[in-house]
Amino acid sequence: MADLRLESVSKSFGQEEVIHDVSLEVAHGEFIVFVGPSGCGKSTLLRLVTGLESVTSGRIFIDGVDVTHVKPSDRRVAMVFQSYALFPHLTVAENIGFGLRLAKTPAAEIRRRVAEVANTLRIEELLERKPRQLSGGQRQRVAIGRSIIRSPKVFLFDEPLSNLDAALRVLMRLEITRLHNRLQATMIFVTHDQTEAMTLADRIYVFNHGRIEQSGTPMHLYNAPANRFVAGFIGSPAMNFLPAKVRRQEDRFTAAIGSSVVPLDRSLRNLPQGEISIGVRPEHMSVVDPADGDVEATIEIVEELGAEVIAYLQIDATAEPVTVRLPPQRQVVPGQRVGVRLAHESFHLFDSDGALLG
Amino acid sequence: MADAQARVAAREFNPWRAVLVISLGCLAVLFLAPTVGVLLSSIKTTREIAFGELWTVPRTIYLGNFVEILTNPAVPHYFKNTVLVTVPATILSIALGVLAGYVFSKLPFAGSNLLFLVIISGMFFPPQVILIPLFQFFNALGLIDTLWPIICVHTALGIPICTLLMRNFFATVPNALRDAAILEGASEWQVLTRVALPISLPAIAVLATLQFTWIWNDFLWPLIFTQTDENRTIMVGIVNLRGQYSVAWGVQGALSLLASLPTLIVFLFFQRYFIKGMTMGAVKG
């Protein structure tokens, strides 16, 4: 049985509908990531699951029970907030035990369970401190501690890493993965950072304008994006999009990128003639001599990252800059004229509305 | 070299700074002068004061004024009445302000902004406008010459400023704290009492100090609503120490000093919160 199921959930604020008919299922123990740009409705959806916001239509089931009209504290969900939302006047121990104290749990039992949680999160020495005396990472752990003490059915994380610096974010990502492995709990994690989504998720839901654009495993979304939005959102550096014109030549299709013509996959049978967009991942492009490439380009900026080189190029035929991922030994310099070879078999073709072709 | 010295000299003498220091010094003297006058009058005989020696340094410290007010049977009544008015009116106005401020800030409803403005507009009515209708109202209820009208009026007049301050303070309390508490099982009342109020102590300290001082020092309403010495508050009591044909400057000075002690104690008690409360939100913590 799914731990969480949403059936045609919609949410409006006044006249404006921000969540449009969203249905999804989360199995027990799954780590799900809701990803999407700011304002796409992912955090609102999380608040609908908690009950902090009520749905306009649709139903929410947790562990098979319809909780659509159940109050937040009875839904057996716990949430870690972006700002941690620790109570500043309480110690760490009091913060973690806050819910148990409200539920009038005996003091000895609260102490025992707080100690247990502190041990799990390795924050025993912080229990008597106030939140202002903690670092960002420690606050994060305390917020997680407060969420796990009541053994909820579903854990919800609302962009919990976005206030941390880059190094700490990586560390906390690992911590959360370890915690998930240890607790085997159902977790839903909201982020606008596709790297977090790719590294944490068993399955990702990509949101845009209050709708699910696509769901699937990280690699499925990476390799087979359902539309141009997902293709551009998942992957870093982002996928390149080259404007092209489709032509039919006898039994096969070709695409004209400016004055250069590249062949398209032989298996394609049905393509509209006219303007399309060719999506190519940075690692599916290579830099060669100007005469040997599919298109010619000028190198603008080179970022040497040690394990790889990221080069930003201006293709002659298009106004769009493109990004190419190169092996570290590849020597390129800004201003250099190069040819760019495209891996034709890795093309993703989209029509002018962003829908996948072929 | 000479250039550098000139620059240093220019930095050392800043005329604006001097003007500022002198202005602040003058202001401090202006503010403190009446207090010093009261202090000096309290330790001088009425005769000395009558001969125009109020501002001279006293040759001897005369404590007869203090003895006189401490043995005056009306004075304990004045103090008792003032406490009976000030403490409940301060607590009630702050309590109502907290409740209203929380609702306006965290639980807005259709028309709540308008209602908030209506409540706040109460601050801008001069008391003289409502004086006569209120007198008639309490007279009709038979409450003239009791402390009840003073408590009621001060509670009501305190609601706008208490609501304004608490609403603005609660607005700075992140909504995520309320959300977190609700998810943990807190009711709205528990969110207020266990989360919002404990972190609002600086704002409450500011309000407690202001309300206590205003109500304690009020002269107008007790003058209007009380008629006998048994029900006078301290500020009216000070005036009542005046004789029919003479002005007891020394005795009044002594009682004024004693009367200002409670507000001073309240301010000292709350001052560390008070300063924090007044500057709250000025810098990002």
Side-chain angles (χ1 to χ4, degrees):
Chain A
M1 188 192 300
D3 267 6
L4 173 69
R5 193 167 86 243
L6 305 191
E7 279 184 8
S8 300
V9 168
S10 295
K11 173 68 183 174
S12 302
F13 291 110
Q15 295 297 309
E16 195 187 351
E17 192 171 79
V18 292
I19 302 287
H20 311 277
D21 195 27
V22 166
S23 297
L24 58 84
E25 276 198 15
V26 179
H28 177 69
E30 258 193 312
F31 198 124
I32 296 293
V33 173
F34 292 170
V35 71
S38 296
C40 70
K42 55 194 189 298
S43 288
T44 305
L45 196 63
L46 214 59
R47 291 175 66 79
L48 294 177
V49 173
T50 60
L52 291 169
E53 298 283 353
S54 54
V55 299
T56 306
S57 65
R59 294 199 297 170
I60 298 172
F61 296 85
I62 291 174
D63 206 17
V65 178
D66 186 348
V67 295
T68 314
H69 303 293
V70 171
K71 67 177 185 175
S73 55
D74 292 343
R75 292 191 180 196
R76 297 190 62 199
V77 296
M79 180 140 136
V80 176
F81 293 82
Q82 181 176 359
S83 58
Y84 319 128
L86 298 179
F87 306 121
H89 58 296
L90 301 181
T91 63
V92 166
E94 289 166 336
N95 262 285
I96 295 174
F98 186 80
L100 296 181
R101 217 166 49 248
L102 286 180
K104 299 199 181 343
T105 310
E109 169 75 0
I110 296 177
R111 269 199 303 278
R112 187 184 65 75
R113 284 169 68 179
V114 168
E116 218 172 83
V117 167
N119 178 262
T120 305
L121 296 166
R122 299 191 306 278
I123 49 171
E124 294 103 322
E125 72 285 1
L126 307 177
L127 286 176
E128 293 313 312
R129 291 201 201 161
K130 293 275 176 69
R132 65 172 177 275
Q133 299 167 299
L134 305 179
S135 68
Q138 290 170 332
R139 287 179 200 188
Q140 184 66 263
R141 281 202 194 96
V142 176
I144 293 172
R146 191 175 62 188
S147 77
I148 64 179
I149 196 163
R150 289 186 305 129
S151 312
K153 201 75 196 157
V154 183
F155 287 90
L156 307 165
F157 295 84
D158 188 8
E159 307 210 26
L161 307 184
S162 53
N163 285 353
L164 305 177
D165 63 48
L168 198 53
R169 209 178 303 163
V170 174
L171 275 179
M172 287 310 295
R173 229 156 57 195
L174 291 173
E175 292 254 356
I176 290 172
T177 308
R178 278 192 204 110
L179 188 72
H180 178 244
N181 292 341
R182 201 173 327 141
L183 300 176
Q184 287 301 309
T186 308
M187 293 184 172
I188 300 179
F189 189 102
V190 161
T191 179
H192 60 266
D193 181 342
Q194 64 86 35
T195 311
E196 273 172 23
M198 294 290 282
T199 49
L200 286 168
D202 293 329
R203 250 176 346 116
I204 297 175
Y205 282 89
V206 182
F207 283 83
N208 193 27
H209 299 310
R211 287 191 177 80
I212 297 173
E213 293 280 347
Q214 191 179 2
S215 69
T217 63
M219 287 321 290
H220 174 71
L221 297 188
Y222 189 81
N223 292 323
N227 53 46
R228 182 174 164 158
F229 175 80
V230 176
F233 199 83
I234 299 290
S236 176
M239 185 183 278
N240 299 299
F241 296 101
L242 306 173
K245 267 202 179 92
V246 174
R247 288 187 196 137
R248 187 176 195 122
Q249 287 182 338
E250 297 170 4
D251 63 334
R252 59 178 302 179
F253 292 99
T254 59
I257 305 169
S259 57
S260 310
V261 175
V262 294
L264 295 178
D265 192 347
R266 281 183 174 279
S267 64
L268 290 170
R269 286 284 165 263
N270 197 15
L271 275 185
Q273 307 257 333
E275 299 287 341
I276 63 159
S277 197
I278 300 178
V280 198
R281 295 250 176 238
E283 59 271 31
H284 295 145
M285 299 170 110
S286 52
V287 170
V288 293
D289 287 335
D292 298 338
D294 290 312
V295 288
E296 282 192 42
T298 306
I299 296 199
E300 281 196 329
I301 297 165
V302 177
E303 289 177 351
E304 294 186 346
L305 303 178
E308 62 184 9
V309 173
I310 305 293
Y312 298 88
L313 289 70
Q314 186 76 49
I315 289 182
D316 294 356
T318 71
E320 302 283 320
V322 297
T323 315
V324 182
R325 178 175 273 146
L326 302 171
Q329 62 275 17
R330 188 72 174 86
Q331 295 287 315
V332 284
V333 289
Q336 185 181 344
R337 293 285 299 162
V338 292
V340 178
R341 189 171 290 161
L342 309 169
H344 304 161
E345 67 285 359
S346 303
F347 281 177
H348 302 268
L349 307 182
F350 304 101
D351 68 13
S352 52
D353 295 328
L356 188 67
L357 295 169
Chain B
M1 183 76 179
D3 229 30
Q5 277 173 346
R7 268 206 305 276
V8 169
R11 204 166 52 229
E12 275 172 0
F13 183 71
N14 181 347
W16 289 115
R17 198 179 162 78
V19 168
L20 192 72
V21 169
I22 291 167
S23 308
L24 287 176
C26 290
L27 271 178
V29 168
L30 271 177
F31 272 107
L32 285 176
T35 311
V36 172
V38 169
L39 182 69
L40 288 172
S41 70
S42 72
I43 51 173
K44 289 186 178 182
T45 60
T46 307
R47 186 186 149 83
E48 276 177 289
I49 300 166
F51 278 116
E53 291 180 24
L54 173 62
W55 294 101
T56 57
V57 177
R59 283 181 295 277
T60 55
I61 293 178
Y62 173 68
L63 295 176
N65 296 323
F66 288 96
V67 173
E68 196 175 330
I69 58 162
L70 290 176
T71 53
N72 186 331
V75 170
H77 276 300
Y78 297 156
F79 270 99
K80 188 189 83 186
N81 291 338
T82 318
V83 169
L84 285 178
V85 166
T86 307
V87 173
T90 301
I91 292 173
L92 277 173
S93 58
I94 293 177
L96 293 170
V98 162
L99 292 175
Y102 184 78
V103 170
F104 285 129
S105 145
K106 296 294 173 205
L107 306 167
F109 51 90
S112 62
N113 278 341
L114 182 68
L115 186 61
F116 175 66
L117 284 178
V118 169
I119 289 176
I120 294 307
S121 65
M123 283 197 298
F124 306 109
F125 284 102
Q128 289 81 352
V129 173
I130 50 173
L131 200 145
I132 292 169
L134 277 179
F135 183 85
Q136 288 174 334
F137 174 72
F138 286 114
N139 195 25
L141 292 177
L143 292 175
I144 295 300
D145 203 28
T146 69
L147 299 178
W148 290 109
I150 315 173
I151 296 173
C152 291
V153 167
H154 275 301
T155 302
L157 292 181
I159 288 173
I161 182 68
C162 292
T163 304
L164 174 71
L165 214 88
M166 289 316 297
R167 180 227 190 220
N168 289 352
F169 183 83
F170 286 137
T172 67
V173 175
N175 287 338
L177 288 185
R178 175 178 171 266
D179 293 344
I182 285 176
L183 275 176
E184 293 289 314
S187 63
E188 208 62 67
W189 176 251
Q190 285 170 320
V191 175
L192 174 65
T193 53
R194 298 204 180 199
V195 179
L197 270 187
I199 56 182
S200 308
L201 286 179
I204 290 170
V206 170
L207 277 180
T209 314
L210 290 178
Q211 282 295 94
F212 189 93
T213 309
W214 284 337
I215 301 170
W216 184 275
N217 291 339
D218 179 44
F219 178 73
L220 179 69
W221 297 109
L223 182 71
I224 302 300
F225 291 130
T226 60
Q227 291 163 343
T228 57
D229 240 14
E230 285 74 51
N231 292 316
R232 299 275 194 212
T233 59
I234 192 85
M235 291 302 149
V236 183
I238 292 172
V239 179
N240 269 20
L241 287 179
R242 184 183 56 189
Q244 194 178 357
Y245 302 109
S246 63
V247 181
W249 296 110
V251 181
Q252 284 184 330
L255 186 54
S256 300
L257 270 189
L258 285 187
S260 57
L261 285 181
T263 53
L264 192 70
I265 291 167
V266 166
F267 176 73
L268 290 177
F269 182 72
F270 283 127
Q271 62 134 353
R272 68 197 171 105
Y273 294 111
F274 191 87
I275 303 297
K276 205 171 152 191
M278 295 296 269
T279 56
M280 221 152 28
V283 286
K284 198 163 177 268

